[in-house]
């Protein structure tokens, strides 16, 4: 028994010494003169190609086709298709004309209100098309590579537009502001994404005693006009020529 107790004491002492040694190894001290005191910029093999613009837009036109999704539209169809033509005065400013054609029909939410509460929102006037003069200010030009073999040239821009929105019975003036991004996958072709906020007068589709089949069919003039805000997300294809 005494022999086993002596072995146990030796094992405990060895474990204590190993623990002290391991703990001491975690403390690393370096001389102050070997520590970094300033940051450095990355060095590229082809610095000129990194700085140069691959896509020049000044004094050139670009034509767009796009799909627009109205994220905050409760009643009318949320989809529309559009075309646009822009002239780039220089690398910072562009002015263009946008035309969009709304899809007919109602939103999924309006169809749900009809099935649950028997409310026919097709009696309310719907937007049919719109035309806007759109100004773009290009804030940043950049390059992005995901695979090291393909480089996307990007342009981030802000937009401000003014124009008209046509309903089935009347046209309303409107304005919009937004933020957009272009991803050029060639020197001519680019994917374009725009987030826009529209503000315009519009007929309110909620009309008391006029939406149920048992109610008299209202005239479009019975719907009250009110300032309306709509947020849209556009996705399209742009060609620079």
């Amino acid at each position: 028994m005494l022999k086993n107790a002596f072995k146990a004491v030796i094992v405990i002492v060895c474990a204590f010494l190993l623990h002290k040694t391991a703990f001491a190894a975690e403390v690393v001290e370096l001389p102050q003169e070997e520590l970094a005191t300033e940051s450095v910029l990355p060095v590229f093999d082809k610095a000129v190609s990194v700085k140069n613009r691959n896509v020049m837009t000044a004094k050139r036109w670009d034509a767009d086709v796009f799909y627009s999704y109205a994220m905050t539209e409760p009643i009318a169809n949320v989809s529309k298709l559009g075309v646009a033509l822009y002239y780039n005065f220089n690398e910072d400013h562009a002015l263009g004309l946008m035309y969009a054609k709304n899809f007919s029909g109602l939103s999924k939410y309006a169809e749900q209100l009809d099935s649950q509460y028997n409310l026919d929102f097709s009696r309310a006037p719907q937007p049919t098309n719109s035309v806007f003069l759109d100004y773009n200010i290009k804030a940043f030009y950049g390059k992005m590579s995901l695979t090291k073999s393909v480089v996307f040239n990007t342009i981030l821009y802000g937009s401000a537009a003014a124009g008209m929105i046509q309903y089935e019975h009347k046209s309303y003036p409107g304005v919009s502001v937004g933020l957009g991004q272009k991803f050029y996958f060639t020197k001519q072709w680019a994917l374009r994404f725009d987030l826009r906020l529209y503000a315009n007068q519009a007929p309110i589709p909620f009309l008391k005693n006029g939406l149920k089949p048992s109610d008299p069919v209202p005239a479009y003039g019975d719907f009250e006009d009110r300032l309306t805000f709509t947020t849209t997300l556009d996705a399209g294809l742009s060609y620079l020529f």
Side-chain angles (χ1 to χ4, degrees):
M1 178 178 293
L2 183 61
K3 185 177 180 180
N4 291 335
F6 180 71
K7 290 181 177 179
V9 171
I10 293 177
V11 170
I12 292 173
V13 171
C14 291
F16 178 76
L17 293 176
L18 289 173
H19 171 74
K20 293 288 290 183
T21 303
F23 182 81
E26 295 177 357
V27 179
V28 178
E29 295 183 357
L30 294 175
Q32 289 294 326
E33 60 272 17
E34 295 184 7
L35 298 177
T37 59
E38 59 183 8
S39 62
V40 295
L41 296 175
V43 178
F44 298 94
D45 295 335
K46 299 178 180 179
V48 175
S49 62
V50 173
K51 294 179 181 178
N52 287 346
R53 294 176 67 112
N54 290 330
V55 178
M56 306 297 290
T57 61
K59 309 298 181 184
R60 301 176 70 181
W61 295 81
D62 65 71
D64 302 348
V65 293
F66 62 90
Y67 166 80
S68 183
Y69 175 79
M71 296 187 290
T72 55
E73 170 56 51
I75 300 301
N77 196 310
V78 297
S79 299
K80 57 184 177 181
L81 289 177
V83 295
L85 183 64
Y86 289 85
Y87 179 71
N88 298 275
F89 297 98
N90 47 44
E91 298 297 347
D92 298 323
H93 306 282
L95 186 65
L97 189 64
M98 299 189 304
Y99 172 79
K101 175 66 176 175
N102 291 74
F103 285 27
S104 61
L106 301 174
S107 67
K108 295 295 183 184
Y109 180 63
E111 294 175 354
Q112 182 181 351
L113 291 176
D114 190 14
S115 62
Q116 292 184 352
Y117 303 102
N118 203 23
L119 297 176
D120 184 8
F121 283 96
S122 64
R123 295 184 171 193
Q126 307 295 326
T128 58
N129 55 77
S130 60
V131 58
F132 276 79
L133 193 63
D134 188 30
Y135 165 72
N136 292 169
I137 178 169
K138 291 170 273 190
F140 299 105
Y141 174 88
K143 299 175 183 176
M144 180 179 68
S145 177
L146 299 178
T147 63
K148 296 184 180 180
S149 59
V150 178
V151 175
F152 289 95
N153 298 272
T154 64
I155 295 178
L156 178 67
Y157 54 89
S159 65
M164 302 293 290
I165 298 179
Q166 174 71 45
Y167 279 70
E168 292 169 318
H169 67 303
K170 188 177 180 181
S171 295
Y172 296 89
V175 295
S176 81
V177 292
L179 192 65
Q181 178 80 62
K182 280 185 177 180
F183 297 92
Y184 282 90
F185 52 89
T186 73
K187 292 185 178 181
Q188 287 79 35
W189 291 97
L191 297 174
R192 174 174 182 152
F193 300 93
D194 290 88
L195 181 64
R196 300 178 188 273
L197 173 64
Y198 288 89
N200 60 279
Q201 288 288 110
I204 304 304
F206 302 97
L207 179 65
K208 187 177 181 180
N209 301 326
L211 297 178
K212 292 187 176 181
S214 58
D215 297 330
V217 177
Y220 286 153
D222 294 337
F223 292 86
E224 181 183 357
D225 292 344
R226 192 172 65 189
L227 181 62
T228 303
F229 297 93
T230 306
T231 303
T232 66
L233 179 63
D234 300 348
L237 199 60
S238 177
Y239 181 76
L240 186 66
F241 59 94

